[in-house]
Amino acid sequence: RNRYGWEHSTLCEEENLPEPLKSHELGEVADRNHFPFFFNIRERRIKVFGGGKVAHRRLSALIPFVCKLEVITPKWCSDIQAMADSGRILLIKRKYSSGDCHGADYVLAATDDEEVNDQIWMECQTAGIPVNAAHQKEKSDFYFPGILLKGNLTAGIIAGGRDHKLAKE
C-alpha cells in the first residue's frame, strides 16, 4: 500500500512489467476491455445529444476541461439553459438530424429516445467518431467515468459500465 492506501503490483526485475494478478485479486470481473486513457480534450469539439439529467451531468463534468461543447436537443433542463446563457456551451434547440455528428471529435448520445441514440451511434460508427451511448454500454466506444478533481489531481473511476452510482461514490 502506498501513502494514500492504494494497492499496486510490484514490478518484475527482468521484464519491468507488473506481476500477473491472481484471479482472487480481480474479483468476479469477466474482462477489462476499457483502458483508462486521459486524453487532452482542450479545444476538442464534443457534441452532446439530449438535454436531460444525464446530459447535464456529463456537461458539468466536461466544462472544467475547456472543450468546445455543442448540445443538440429539442428539450432541455434549466441547468443546461444556464450553461448556454453563461457561454459555456452552444445550445442548438432542435431534434437530431442525420449528419449532425459531422465535425465532432467525440459524441455523447444521451437522449431519452433509444431509436435516436441508435441513429447517432450508427452515424458515429460509420464516420469513425468515438461515441458514448448512455442508453446501452455495448454501443459505447468509451465509458463516462465518475470524476474527482482536487488541485492538480484528476481521477476517473468506472465500474465496468454496470454501476454508475458505485463509480460516483
Side-chain angles (χ1 to χ4, degrees):
R1 292 189 181 269
N2 65 17
R3 65 184 173 140
Y4 303 107
W6 291 80
E7 287 187 26
H8 52 86
S9 59
T10 57
L11 296 177
C12 299
E13 287 183 295
E14 278 186 31
E15 301 171 4
N16 202 25
L17 296 173
E19 293 176 1
L21 294 174
K22 296 179 177 73
S23 60
H24 70 277
E25 293 172 338
L26 292 175
E28 296 299 319
V29 177
D31 61 38
R32 294 188 186 273
N33 57 352
H34 285 80
F35 185 82
F37 284 109
F38 282 84
F39 287 99
N40 179 356
I41 61 170
R42 183 179 208 82
E43 298 298 318
R44 295 289 181 188
R45 189 172 177 192
I46 300 175
K47 292 191 179 188
V48 179
F49 296 89
K53 291 178 185 178
V54 172
H56 174 256
R57 280 195 313 269
R58 293 180 180 186
L59 288 164
S60 296
L62 288 166
I63 284 174
F65 294 93
V66 197
C67 48
K68 296 176 183 177
L69 296 168
E70 184 176 306
V71 179
I72 299 175
T73 185
K75 300 181 290 186
W76 56 95
C77 65
S78 60
D79 291 328
I80 289 179
Q81 182 64 56
M83 289 175 174
D85 292 344
S86 70
R88 293 181 289 172
I89 66 169
L90 172 63
L91 178 58
I92 300 170
K93 301 172 180 179
R94 64 170 173 78
K95 290 182 177 182
Y96 161 78
S97 182
S98 181
D100 278 346
C101 297
H102 178 75
D105 293 300
Y106 304 95
V107 169
L108 304 176
T111 75
D112 59 3
D113 185 330
E114 284 191 33
E115 188 174 315
V116 171
N117 287 343
D118 285 342
Q119 291 171 358
I120 294 166
W121 173 79
M122 183 57 74
E123 181 178 338
C124 289
Q125 292 299 294
T126 302
I129 301 168
V131 62
N132 172 272
H135 74 297
Q136 195 171 3
K137 69 177 186 159
E138 294 80 14
K139 292 186 176 178
S140 294
D141 296 311
F142 59 94
Y143 290 155
F144 211 87
I147 297 175
L148 170 68
L149 301 173
K150 187 173 183 179
N152 288 330
L153 176 69
T154 301
I157 307 290
I158 65 169
R162 291 181 284 279
D163 193 341
H164 300 294
K165 187 176 180 181
L166 175 63
K168 182 179 177 181
E169 288 173 9

